[in-house]
Amino acid sequence: MMTLSNTVYATGEGTPLVLVHAFPVDHRMWDDCAEQIARQARETGDPSVTVWAPDMPGAGTGPIPEPADSGRVAADGALTDALDLMADAYVDLVRAAGYDKAVWAGLSMGGYVVLDIQRRHPDMVAGLALCDTKAGADGPEARANRLACASECEATQTVKPVMHFADATPSDSSFKQSDEGRALFARWIGEQTPQGVGWRQRMAAGRPDLSDQLPLVTAPAAVLCGDKDPFSPRPAMRALADAMTGTSPSFTVIEDCGHFSAVEHPDQVASALLDLVRRVHLRD
């Protein structure tokens, strides 16, 4: 059984908001956004909200599962059951705290988790936010690249193969190009473990195509992306929102923003997530 290390940012009323982080960082990418959610809720007179951000297995303080708890291993080394087992662990965490539903917000790899929760536990979805992510599985080249990265991290016992996530190009956002932004991501990535990075890459490589889940979402939903996101560009995120025909998702494009929107513009992401929480409460 997978064990998740959970960070509780705020304890309030009603359905919890569970923030699911991106790769190759951990829950800390939500720090400023969670603070903004609490502040904006106070300023607008909303009831205080419960905000969590668990670490994925192998991220931050999240323990790496034993092989028996990671499920089947494909011939190429991808973990074909791991996303499902992790989605179950997130749901178990919420249920163990006495809740029967949560509002799930996932950024990038976190979006894979949220969509898999929708697939496996639709009754647990009170609301759903997809930030800078995608629904499809990796193609053959992307899958091979993930597995090569995992093998290199494990063989060299370094996280150097993923340090490029801290780099910036001339087309990146102002934050990503800043000394502050580069230093922050370099620190977060440098504090991950090679084994944890490898596990998450193998999990993501083995995940299924979740595109068929988009029209099955009936809960209030939100879709967010940065206008300079190189991995989940605006047209792809617009198409993702349009595919959610069972609900009416809000669609937010954040200007001068790359892939890690909750880090780059935490106030705007917080505003969109708080709006989603309000819509969930109105529905309840």
Side-chain angles (χ1 to χ4, degrees):
M1 181 176 178
M2 289 188 188
T3 301
L4 301 180
S5 176
N6 189 27
T7 294
V8 177
Y9 286 111
T11 302
E13 302 174 12
T15 305
L17 170 62
V18 182
L19 307 172
V20 190
H21 65 79
F23 176 85
V25 293
D26 54 49
H27 78 274
R28 291 175 291 178
M29 60 150 283
W30 291 108
D31 284 354
D32 290 345
C33 186
E35 181 181 343
Q36 285 285 334
I37 291 169
R39 182 186 64 78
Q40 292 180 25
R42 289 194 303 270
E43 290 179 351
T44 56
D46 288 300
S48 58
V49 293
T50 295
V51 184
W52 295 0
D55 278 324
M56 290 185 194
T61 60
I64 301 171
E66 295 295 327
D69 295 325
S70 297
R72 293 171 295 172
V73 183
D76 60 4
L79 299 173
T80 55
D81 297 326
L83 178 61
D84 287 351
L85 295 169
M86 180 165 55
D88 293 351
Y90 272 82
V91 165
D92 289 345
L93 187 71
V94 170
R95 285 179 173 153
Y99 298 101
D100 58 4
K101 289 186 178 184
V103 180
W104 305 94
L107 195 151
S108 192
M109 189 177 282
Y112 311 161
V113 180
V114 168
L115 274 177
D116 205 42
I117 291 170
Q118 167 65 36
R119 180 173 75 94
R120 292 176 67 78
H121 305 280
D123 58 311
M124 291 294 295
V125 179
L128 184 149
L130 298 174
C131 312
D132 307 285
T133 190
K134 61 182 179 179
D138 285 345
E141 183 179 357
R143 177 172 170 138
N145 287 341
R146 279 195 196 275
L147 296 172
C149 173
S151 295
E152 186 178 354
C153 286
E154 293 156 358
T156 63
Q157 285 300 293
T158 72
V159 295
K160 188 174 180 181
V162 293
M163 285 302 296
H164 64 88
F165 281 94
D167 298 336
T169 68
S171 60
D172 270 318
S173 66
S174 300
F175 179 85
K176 200 73 193 296
Q177 292 189 59
S178 69
D179 291 342
E180 173 195 5
R182 290 195 296 268
L184 181 64
F185 275 96
R187 177 168 64 84
W188 282 344
I189 296 168
E191 290 172 354
Q192 305 303 308
T193 66
Q195 293 89 344
V197 169
W199 189 91
R200 282 178 281 163
Q201 286 286 59
R202 295 185 186 280
M203 173 275 297
R207 76 189 189 278
D209 189 326
L210 296 167
S211 302
D212 62 348
Q213 295 305 303
L214 296 171
L216 301 181
V217 177
T218 57
V223 175
L224 296 83
C225 68
D227 67 330
K228 296 185 175 182
D229 188 338
F231 306 115
S232 303
R234 182 191 315 212
M237 294 300 292
R238 178 73 260 182
L240 188 152
D242 289 344
M244 298 172 75
T245 53
T247 186
S248 299
S250 60
F251 184 64
T252 303
V253 178
I254 302 174
E255 301 300 318
D256 189 23
C257 183
H259 188 59
F260 294 91
S261 54
V263 180
E264 300 178 42
H265 293 278
D267 54 337
Q268 294 183 53
V269 175
S271 179
L273 294 181
L274 191 56
D275 173 72
L276 174 62
V277 170
R278 289 190 194 106
R279 286 188 278 134
V280 169
H281 287 167
L282 284 173
R283 194 188 199 203
D284 293 345

